[in-house]
Amino acid sequence: MSDDHVYLTLAEGHEDDARWAYGTGFEDPLHGVDTTVPEGVDAGELAAVCVALGDDALVSAQRLAEWTTRAPELEEEVALANIGLDLLGQARLLYSRAGQADGTGRDEDAYAYFRDADDFRNVRLAELPCGDFAFSIVRLLVLSSWRLAHFGRLVEHPDPVLAAIAAKGVKELTYHRQYAAEWAVRLGDGTEESHRRMRRAMERAAPYFGELFTAHDVREEVADVLRQVTGAAGLPMPVYRPLSGAGRDGDHTEHLAPLLAELQSVARAHPEATW
């Protein structure tokens, strides 16, 4: 199967999905795609990468959903909701690939709804409370830039399915980064109050940056983006120290468990329900 064929299959819509987001009964988003793990690719490592990136996307989407009815303008509420839906779609594909790769056959619901906080592998920055709009913009800027850098490399992955998921995600993440960068400049170079809030948001988020930048090439690419944006916004470049482990090892803040409890409550109360 060629990468082009995989990509076209992944890009197809699922207009017949009539259930709640995730719930049981959705067609597997990888339905019709050859999910055989290519020779030479470690299936366990492939599954681990997919789960980690899927967890980042799912938790980020849940935080963005919290802006519904709370965003400063209707236009921004719609934009943030759409970004969250993009990430939710990425999580679906990544979880499905993980279940195929690790041999367990678990579906997207099993990963999203029936794991505890200790089993999640998302980075800690994704799980922090939303805070004000400035903090959410800083977080979106950093995470979308970091995720885009990773996905840009994954398009060359020897697993054609993961490569196709990454190629689809690159287009979405490019918009996410642009949206966040434009708001960061607007707020940083805006009023005295908006500038103050952006500085405070950067200071609050910076301690969690080190976990993201363990790979030198990714770190430099994201740092270049942050230098451009902070320079245009009149903000100081955030200071961080490289840090390994943490969320990727299941070491989370106290904020993840309550987020998952809310996300998973209906599915756990009615594990076989359909709508």
Short mmCIF file of all heavy atoms in Angstrom, two decimals, residues 191-230:
data_model
loop_
_atom_site.label_atom_id
_atom_site.label_comp_id
_atom_site.label_asym_id
_atom_site.label_seq_id
_atom_site.Cartn_x
_atom_site.Cartn_y
_atom_site.Cartn_z
N THR A 191 -2.49 46.17 25.09
CA THR A 191 -2.61 47.08 26.23
C THR A 191 -1.63 46.70 27.32
O THR A 191 -1.02 45.62 27.30
CB THR A 191 -4.03 47.03 26.81
OG1 THR A 191 -4.25 45.74 27.39
CG2 THR A 191 -5.07 47.30 25.73
N GLU A 192 -1.48 47.56 28.29
CA GLU A 192 -0.61 47.26 29.42
C GLU A 192 -1.09 46.00 30.15
O GLU A 192 -0.28 45.17 30.57
CB GLU A 192 -0.61 48.45 30.38
CG GLU A 192 0.29 48.26 31.59
CD GLU A 192 0.30 49.47 32.50
OE1 GLU A 192 -0.09 50.57 32.04
OE2 GLU A 192 0.71 49.32 33.67
N GLU A 193 -2.42 45.87 30.28
CA GLU A 193 -2.97 44.71 30.98
C GLU A 193 -2.76 43.42 30.18
O GLU A 193 -2.39 42.38 30.75
CB GLU A 193 -4.47 44.91 31.23
CG GLU A 193 -5.19 43.72 31.86
CD GLU A 193 -4.72 43.39 33.25
OE1 GLU A 193 -3.96 44.18 33.85
OE2 GLU A 193 -5.14 42.33 33.77
N SER A 194 -3.00 43.45 28.87
CA SER A 194 -2.81 42.23 28.08
C SER A 194 -1.34 41.82 28.05
O SER A 194 -1.02 40.64 28.09
CB SER A 194 -3.35 42.41 26.66
OG SER A 194 -2.58 43.34 25.92
N HIS A 195 -0.45 42.82 28.00
CA HIS A 195 0.99 42.52 28.03
C HIS A 195 1.37 41.88 29.36
O HIS A 195 2.12 40.89 29.39
CB HIS A 195 1.79 43.80 27.81
CG HIS A 195 3.28 43.58 27.85
ND1 HIS A 195 3.99 43.19 26.74
CD2 HIS A 195 4.18 43.68 28.87
CE1 HIS A 195 5.27 43.06 27.05
NE2 HIS A 195 5.40 43.35 28.34
N ARG A 196 0.85 42.41 30.44
CA ARG A 196 1.15 41.87 31.76
C ARG A 196 0.67 40.43 31.87
O ARG A 196 1.37 39.56 32.41
CB ARG A 196 0.49 42.72 32.85
CG ARG A 196 0.78 42.27 34.27
CD ARG A 196 -0.03 43.06 35.28
NE ARG A 196 -1.45 42.73 35.21
CZ ARG A 196 -2.00 41.64 35.77
NH1 ARG A 196 -1.24 40.76 36.40
NH2 ARG A 196 -3.29 41.43 35.66
N ARG A 197 -0.51 40.16 31.35
CA ARG A 197 -1.05 38.80 31.43
C ARG A 197 -0.25 37.82 30.58
O ARG A 197 -0.07 36.66 30.96
CB ARG A 197 -2.51 38.80 31.01
CG ARG A 197 -3.43 39.44 32.03
CD ARG A 197 -4.89 39.26 31.66
NE ARG A 197 -5.76 39.84 32.66
CZ ARG A 197 -6.81 39.21 33.20
NH1 ARG A 197 -7.09 37.96 32.84
NH2 ARG A 197 -7.57 39.80 34.09
N MET A 198 0.23 38.26 29.44
CA MET A 198 1.04 37.39 28.61
C MET A 198 2.38 37.08 29.28
O MET A 198 2.86 35.93 29.23
CB MET A 198 1.28 38.01 27.24
CG MET A 198 0.08 37.95 26.32
SD MET A 198 -0.41 36.23 25.92
CE MET A 198 0.98 35.72 24.92
N ARG A 199 2.99 38.05 29.91
CA ARG A 199 4.24 37.80 30.64
C ARG A 199 3.99 36.80 31.76
O ARG A 199 4.78 35.87 31.97
CB ARG A 199 4.79 39.10 31.21
CG ARG A 199 5.37 40.05 30.19
CD ARG A 199 5.94 41.29 30.86
NE ARG A 199 7.09 40.96 31.68
CZ ARG A 199 8.36 41.25 31.35
NH1 ARG A 199 8.61 41.84 30.19
NH2 ARG A 199 9.36 40.94 32.15
N ARG A 200 2.91 36.99 32.49
CA ARG A 200 2.58 36.08 33.59
C ARG A 200 2.31 34.67 33.06
O ARG A 200 2.71 33.67 33.66
CB ARG A 200 1.37 36.60 34.35
CG ARG A 200 1.01 35.79 35.60
CD ARG A 200 -0.18 36.38 36.31
NE ARG A 200 -1.40 36.29 35.49
CZ ARG A 200 -2.58 36.79 35.85
NH1 ARG A 200 -2.69 37.46 37.00
NH2 ARG A 200 -3.63 36.65 35.07
N ALA A 201 1.62 34.57 31.91
CA ALA A 201 1.33 33.27 31.32
C ALA A 201 2.61 32.55 30.91
O ALA A 201 2.75 31.33 31.13
CB ALA A 201 0.40 33.44 30.12
N MET A 202 3.54 33.28 30.31
CA MET A 202 4.82 32.69 29.94
C MET A 202 5.56 32.18 31.17
O MET A 202 6.14 31.08 31.17
CB MET A 202 5.69 33.72 29.21
CG MET A 202 5.32 33.95 27.77
SD MET A 202 5.85 32.56 26.72
CE MET A 202 5.51 33.26 25.09
N GLU A 203 5.55 32.95 32.23
CA GLU A 203 6.24 32.56 33.46
C GLU A 203 5.59 31.31 34.08
O GLU A 203 6.29 30.45 34.61
CB GLU A 203 6.22 33.71 34.46
CG GLU A 203 7.06 34.90 34.03
CD GLU A 203 6.81 36.14 34.87
OE1 GLU A 203 5.95 36.07 35.78
OE2 GLU A 203 7.48 37.17 34.63
N ARG A 204 4.29 31.22 33.99
CA ARG A 204 3.59 30.08 34.55
C ARG A 204 3.85 28.81 33.75
O ARG A 204 3.98 27.71 34.30
CB ARG A 204 2.08 30.35 34.60
CG ARG A 204 1.27 29.19 35.17
CD ARG A 204 -0.21 29.43 35.05
NE ARG A 204 -0.96 28.21 35.37
CZ ARG A 204 -2.21 27.95 34.99
NH1 ARG A 204 -2.87 28.85 34.28
NH2 ARG A 204 -2.80 26.83 35.32
N ALA A 205 3.92 28.95 32.42
CA ALA A 205 4.09 27.79 31.56
C ALA A 205 5.54 27.32 31.45
O ALA A 205 5.80 26.13 31.25
CB ALA A 205 3.55 28.10 30.16
N ALA A 206 6.49 28.24 31.59
CA ALA A 206 7.89 27.94 31.33
C ALA A 206 8.45 26.75 32.10
O ALA A 206 9.23 25.97 31.54
CB ALA A 206 8.74 29.19 31.58
N PRO A 207 8.10 26.54 33.37
CA PRO A 207 8.66 25.38 34.08
C PRO A 207 8.32 24.04 33.45
O PRO A 207 8.99 23.03 33.73
CB PRO A 207 8.05 25.50 35.48
CG PRO A 207 7.75 26.95 35.64
CD PRO A 207 7.32 27.40 34.28
N TYR A 208 7.32 24.00 32.59
CA TYR A 208 6.89 22.75 31.97
C TYR A 208 7.46 22.57 30.56
O TYR A 208 7.23 21.54 29.93
CB TYR A 208 5.36 22.68 31.93
CG TYR A 208 4.74 22.72 33.29
CD1 TYR A 208 4.36 23.93 33.88
CD2 TYR A 208 4.55 21.56 34.03
CE1 TYR A 208 3.80 23.98 35.15
CE2 TYR A 208 3.99 21.59 35.30
CZ TYR A 208 3.63 22.80 35.86
OH TYR A 208 3.09 22.85 37.12
N PHE A 209 8.21 23.57 30.08
CA PHE A 209 8.75 23.49 28.73
C PHE A 209 9.85 22.45 28.61
O PHE A 209 9.99 21.80 27.56
CB PHE A 209 9.30 24.84 28.28
CG PHE A 209 8.25 25.89 28.04
CD1 PHE A 209 8.63 27.19 27.74
CD2 PHE A 209 6.91 25.60 28.14
CE1 PHE A 209 7.67 28.18 27.52
CE2 PHE A 209 5.94 26.58 27.93
CZ PHE A 209 6.33 27.87 27.63
N GLY A 210 10.65 22.30 29.66
CA GLY A 210 11.80 21.40 29.58
C GLY A 210 11.43 19.98 29.20
O GLY A 210 12.20 19.28 28.52
N GLU A 211 10.26 19.54 29.64
CA GLU A 211 9.79 18.19 29.31
C GLU A 211 9.61 18.00 27.82
O GLU A 211 9.71 16.88 27.31
CB GLU A 211 8.48 17.94 30.04
CG GLU A 211 7.87 16.58 29.81
CD GLU A 211 6.55 16.39 30.54
OE1 GLU A 211 6.09 17.34 31.21
OE2 GLU A 211 5.98 15.29 30.42
N LEU A 212 9.35 19.08 27.10
CA LEU A 212 9.08 19.00 25.67
C LEU A 212 10.34 18.94 24.83
O LEU A 212 10.30 18.44 23.70
CB LEU A 212 8.25 20.21 25.23
CG LEU A 212 6.98 20.54 26.02
CD1 LEU A 212 6.35 21.80 25.48
CD2 LEU A 212 6.00 19.38 25.97
N PHE A 213 11.42 19.47 25.35
CA PHE A 213 12.57 19.76 24.50
C PHE A 213 13.76 18.85 24.76
O PHE A 213 14.90 19.29 24.83
CB PHE A 213 12.98 21.22 24.66
CG PHE A 213 11.86 22.20 24.39
CD1 PHE A 213 11.71 23.33 25.15
CD2 PHE A 213 10.96 21.96 23.37
CE1 PHE A 213 10.67 24.22 24.90
CE2 PHE A 213 9.92 22.83 23.11
CZ PHE A 213 9.77 23.97 23.88
N THR A 214 13.49 17.56 24.88
CA THR A 214 14.58 16.61 25.11
C THR A 214 15.32 16.30 23.81
O THR A 214 16.49 15.93 23.84
CB THR A 214 14.04 15.31 25.71
OG1 THR A 214 13.00 14.79 24.87
CG2 THR A 214 13.49 15.56 27.11
N ALA A 215 14.67 16.44 22.66
CA ALA A 215 15.32 16.23 21.37
C ALA A 215 15.88 17.55 20.87
O ALA A 215 15.15 18.54 20.76
CB ALA A 215 14.33 15.65 20.36
N HIS A 216 17.16 17.58 20.56
CA HIS A 216 17.83 18.83 20.22
C HIS A 216 17.22 19.49 18.98
O HIS A 216 16.99 20.71 18.98
CB HIS A 216 19.32 18.59 19.98
CG HIS A 216 20.07 19.81 19.55
ND1 HIS A 216 20.41 20.83 20.43
CD2 HIS A 216 20.52 20.21 18.33
CE1 HIS A 216 21.04 21.78 19.77
NE2 HIS A 216 21.13 21.44 18.50
N ASP A 217 16.95 18.71 17.93
CA ASP A 217 16.46 19.32 16.70
C ASP A 217 15.07 19.92 16.90
O ASP A 217 14.77 21.02 16.39
CB ASP A 217 16.43 18.30 15.56
CG ASP A 217 15.64 17.04 15.89
OD1 ASP A 217 15.36 16.81 17.08
OD2 ASP A 217 15.31 16.30 14.95
N VAL A 218 14.22 19.24 17.67
CA VAL A 218 12.90 19.78 17.96
C VAL A 218 13.01 21.03 18.82
O VAL A 218 12.32 22.03 18.59
CB VAL A 218 12.02 18.71 18.65
CG1 VAL A 218 10.73 19.33 19.18
CG2 VAL A 218 11.71 17.58 17.68
N ARG A 219 13.89 20.98 19.81
CA ARG A 219 14.07 22.13 20.71
C ARG A 219 14.45 23.37 19.94
O ARG A 219 13.90 24.47 20.16
CB ARG A 219 15.13 21.80 21.76
CG ARG A 219 15.39 22.97 22.75
CD ARG A 219 16.30 22.53 23.87
NE ARG A 219 17.66 22.26 23.42
CZ ARG A 219 18.23 21.07 23.44
NH1 ARG A 219 17.56 20.02 23.84
NH2 ARG A 219 19.47 20.91 23.03
N GLU A 220 15.39 23.24 19.02
CA GLU A 220 15.86 24.39 18.26
C GLU A 220 14.77 24.93 17.33
O GLU A 220 14.62 26.15 17.17
CB GLU A 220 17.11 24.03 17.46
CG GLU A 220 18.33 23.81 18.34
CD GLU A 220 18.59 25.00 19.26
OE1 GLU A 220 18.68 26.14 18.75
OE2 GLU A 220 18.68 24.79 20.48
N GLU A 221 14.00 24.04 16.73
CA GLU A 221 12.93 24.48 15.83
C GLU A 221 11.87 25.25 16.60
O GLU A 221 11.41 26.31 16.15
CB GLU A 221 12.30 23.28 15.13
CG GLU A 221 11.20 23.66 14.15
CD GLU A 221 10.67 22.48 13.36
OE1 GLU A 221 11.41 21.49 13.18
OE2 GLU A 221 9.51 22.55 12.91
N VAL A 222 11.47 24.73 17.75
CA VAL A 222 10.45 25.42 18.55
C VAL A 222 11.01 26.71 19.13
O VAL A 222 10.31 27.74 19.18
CB VAL A 222 9.94 24.49 19.67
CG1 VAL A 222 8.91 25.23 20.54
CG2 VAL A 222 9.32 23.24 19.08
N ALA A 223 12.26 26.70 19.56
CA ALA A 223 12.87 27.91 20.09
C ALA A 223 12.90 29.02 19.05
O ALA A 223 12.67 30.20 19.37
CB ALA A 223 14.29 27.62 20.58
N ASP A 224 13.14 28.68 17.79
CA ASP A 224 13.13 29.68 16.72
C ASP A 224 11.74 30.32 16.60
O ASP A 224 11.62 31.54 16.42
CB ASP A 224 13.53 29.04 15.39
CG ASP A 224 15.02 28.77 15.29
OD1 ASP A 224 15.77 29.34 16.10
OD2 ASP A 224 15.41 27.98 14.41
N VAL A 225 10.70 29.49 16.69
CA VAL A 225 9.33 30.02 16.62
C VAL A 225 9.07 30.95 17.80
O VAL A 225 8.54 32.06 17.62
CB VAL A 225 8.31 28.86 16.61
CG1 VAL A 225 6.89 29.41 16.72
CG2 VAL A 225 8.46 28.02 15.36
N LEU A 226 9.44 30.52 18.99
CA LEU A 226 9.18 31.34 20.17
C LEU A 226 9.96 32.65 20.12
O LEU A 226 9.45 33.69 20.55
CB LEU A 226 9.54 30.55 21.44
CG LEU A 226 8.65 29.34 21.74
CD1 LEU A 226 9.11 28.67 23.04
CD2 LEU A 226 7.19 29.74 21.84
N ARG A 227 11.19 32.61 19.60
CA ARG A 227 11.96 33.85 19.48
C ARG A 227 11.27 34.84 18.55
O ARG A 227 11.20 36.04 18.82
CB ARG A 227 13.38 33.54 18.99
CG ARG A 227 14.34 33.16 20.09
CD ARG A 227 15.77 33.13 19.58
NE ARG A 227 16.01 32.00 18.69
CZ ARG A 227 16.45 30.82 19.10
NH1 ARG A 227 16.70 30.60 20.38
NH2 ARG A 227 16.67 29.85 18.22
N GLN A 228 10.76 34.34 17.43
CA GLN A 228 10.07 35.23 16.49
C GLN A 228 8.81 35.82 17.11
O GLN A 228 8.56 37.03 16.98
CB GLN A 228 9.70 34.45 15.23
CG GLN A 228 10.88 34.00 14.39
CD GLN A 228 10.43 33.22 13.16
OE1 GLN A 228 9.51 33.63 12.45
NE2 GLN A 228 11.07 32.09 12.90
N VAL A 229 8.02 34.99 17.77
CA VAL A 229 6.75 35.45 18.32
C VAL A 229 6.97 36.39 19.50
O VAL A 229 6.35 37.46 19.57
CB VAL A 229 5.87 34.26 18.73
CG1 VAL A 229 4.60 34.74 19.42
CG2 VAL A 229 5.51 33.42 17.51
N THR A 230 7.83 36.00 20.42
CA THR A 230 8.06 36.87 21.59
C THR A 230 8.71 38.18 21.17
O THR A 230 8.41 39.24 21.75
CB THR A 230 8.93 36.17 22.64
OG1 THR A 230 10.17 35.72 22.03
CG2 THR A 230 8.21 34.97 23.24
#
